[in-house]
Amino acid sequence: MTRLMKHRLFWPVSCLLALIILNTVVRPQFIKITVLDGKLYGAPIDILRQSAPLMLVSLGMTLVIATRGIDLSVGAVMAISGAVTLTIIDGSSSPGSVGTVLMAMAAGVALAFAFGVWNGFLVAVLKIQPIIATLVLMMAGRGVALLITGGFITTVVSRPLKYVASGYLMFIPFAFVIAVVAIAVVAVVERRTALGVLTEAVGINPEASRLAGVRSRGIVFGAYIASGTLAGIAGIIYSSNIMAADANAAGELIELYAILAVVLGGTSLLGGKFSIAGTVIGVLIIQTLDSTVLFLGVPSADKPVVFALVVIVVVLVQSPRVHRTARAVLRRSRTGGPPARTEPQKVSV
Amino acid sequence: MSVPTKAAPVVDMRGITIRFPGVLALDNVDFLLRAGEVHALMGENGAGKSTLIKALTGVYPIDSGSITVAGTDRVFSTTGDAQNAGISTVYQEVNLCPNLSVGENVMLGHEPRSSRGISWKSVHHEAARHLASLGLHLDTHSVLSSHSIAVQQLVAISRAMVLDARVLILDEPTSSLDRDEVDRLFAVVRDLRDNGVAILFVSHFLEQVYEIADRITVLRNGQLVGEYPLHELPRGQLVTKMIGREIAELEAISATAERPINRTGAPVLRATGLARRGVLGEVNLDVFEGEVVGIAGLLGSGRTELVRLLYGADRADEGQVEINGHVVKVSSPRNAVERRIAFSSEDRRSEGIIADLTVAENIVLGMQARRGWLRRIRSTEQDAVVSEFMSSLGVRPADPGMLARNLSGGNQQKVVLARWLATAPQLLILDEPTRGIDVGAKADIQRKVAELASQGLAVIFISSELEEVLRLAQRIVVMRDRRQIGLLDSHVTSLEGLVDFMANDTQGSVA
């Protein structure tokens, strides 16, 4: 049991399970999944489907944070890629054809890739602090998106585009399939090659890594490109969901939720060690929480307050300091004596 | 010299025992510190020096034993308790706020207040007074980080004086200071001693211990070996007591350096007229297969700047570098690694070890970087390489899964060395590989360097400890004021001759 508790995903997973149990107790039909003409339905399936954009953005954010950086521009990049994709579809003569939609989406993702390169250039080559470098695009990006859509909310009617967010592939929501593929690709690229450990090395100590011969510039560059590209895909899923390109609402505040997901998953904002599985759990916690608040019938104006309270609890539950104090209190109440001294964290002998 | 025996003990630690999971860090150790003495605490890394200091400063609680400060029994549960008892510590890494002003740092937490809050005028006035009492006349409004480490350390000492310290602990205070700075620090330390402050001094530099200390306590493996007045314990005996074995091993290393070097072919590395404006004047140097070329010079003499140019960590703007007879441009560390040049920086903590990766990951990092991220080293290969180098260098504890940050300095240095040896370099550049590590690890590293060189590796070896340079190197490049002042043959150079040459402006290629 103690070994299980020491696992670094123990607390994130526990929080997620606790949320699911809470929902099930309040509304037993929460956990019910039904099959209806080749599609799965139910609250958990909705959560998985809706989590796709945040999942993609958070994956990219994990890599960027691992290099000691941060990418604030992901929401703006989502708006841009959505705007490009829908503007192309809207302007084409056959908005319903698969070819048009694929081409439009490729253009959206390519532009997102280019903005990833831009961020990477500012951070890795010009050595601008990541928070400032990506703030530039965070602020300017929505303007670019508005420019592309001509200041309107572009709406389209296109079956292939609608499929991206609302369609099903073999019983499973297609948006979730995209997220799973992205998780798998990132996990394989990072962990089956040496990219993951080199990224961690750069995040922990950039200068020592450079002197060890690691191409740290390329690794940092790559993280921002990955983040931009994944945000671009997320932007398309978002637009597909509402079938509109809304330059102001697309990916609003998603950068903060993504950072939260990464931190809930146990990756430190100081960079270095990162956990992809942790980020996935973090995203699911946030998305489940979002649904929980809805289920509990909290008025939408009060939603952020409930959200904040739960996040505080989740963060406290994961804190090693709280664990130590809790253990000491438990021991005292059990033995009636003074608390045993806490062991020093680091042993230098 | 003061007369410490008659002074009353300020700190009396008796029967101190501290147990960590699986280790007895301190085993029934007694330690006595008297007013008006400089007391050196000696021992290898892991002997229990830092644990004893941490017990005295309230970082670790003690499992048994007693601590008496100025006649009162004390139980320290926090560092604040120890400070209130008049015990202050100045660490190797200055523990101040680099972005605050000197005055703010000195008075931090003790700012004089008036009815309108902190009076900044008196903060700086008071700070200046404290600094002046140590003979330091600084602009208290200047930012701390704009001063040298030495001055920062003196500021840290003034801060301790603000806290009205009866006991001052200096933990490796001189490891990043040059000779003049050390003199300045020692002048302050003597002053404080004469004013009745009890000073606990920890250093790996034996000469400095013999220069400043009145009394020595030796620890080994968590146990007390003994307490000795300085003049009753000559250097050789001290080292023997610290490591518990004779230093004949070091003599054996010296013998291998006597071998002849074949300098007929192309050198592994030849630098001609290498220079960088404002950083380093022209340097000419070559290293042949199997040769150790030492670089002697004080801190700031340009020795580190020189090897950084050779490695591509910084770029030279003049001169030419040949590797195996071919003219090349080493434009980045990455480039150097590809040419099988390895460089271990003098700053192990910020430029060597990756603290939060495991020992195994640290060791294979260089190999992995060289292969590129696509070709990951398989775990069987990794295990083989890691266990080979961990055992041949004697990394302790022998746990490849341990985080590198939890190793002692000497073992971290061995891990960095292992990282480079695993890349099978043809030229190994070691900048201060033995700084701040214990005698046993020093001997291990020197032995390994000598062994590799005799197998054909070319080595450039920098050390502040000239005995080491003389022991290992066949030829010695001497640097001063960021330029090369000579090239000596180590067979015909004595320690005194080398020191003399470094200090005086005699020109020439062989002394």
Side-chain angles (χ1 to χ4, degrees), chain B residues 282-297:
Chain B
E282 251 183 52
V283 172
N284 297 301
L285 147 110
D286 50 8
V287 195
F288 288 84
E289 206 179 291
E291 184 181 29
V292 180
V293 172
I295 300 182

Side-chain angles (χ1 to χ4, degrees), chain A residues 30 48 58 82 131 133 195 249 286 299 305:
Chain A
F30 172 84
L48 292 182
S58 303
I131 197 165
L195 190 57
I286 291 174
V305 178

Side-chain angles (χ1 to χ4, degrees), chain B residues 6 68 99 120 151 182 203 237 276 280 296 306 308 340 350 368 373 378 393 415 421 436 485 502 511:
Chain B
K6 287 178 187 157
T68 311
N99 51 350
W120 289 107
V151 171
V182 169
S203 173
Q237 271 187 41
R276 182 177 159 96
L280 186 72
L306 166 61
R308 283 180 67 92
R340 295 177 49 221
S350 63
Q368 185 65 69
W373 63 271
R378 290 182 193 290
L393 286 163
V415 168
L421 297 181
I485 58 169
M502 279 165 60

Side-chain angles (χ1 to χ4, degrees), chain A residues 76 79-80 137-151 247-248:
Chain A
I80 294 172
L137 189 54
M138 179 191 183
M139 296 193 298
R142 292 192 189 278
V144 173
L146 275 173
L147 217 62
I148 294 169
T149 59
N248 289 314

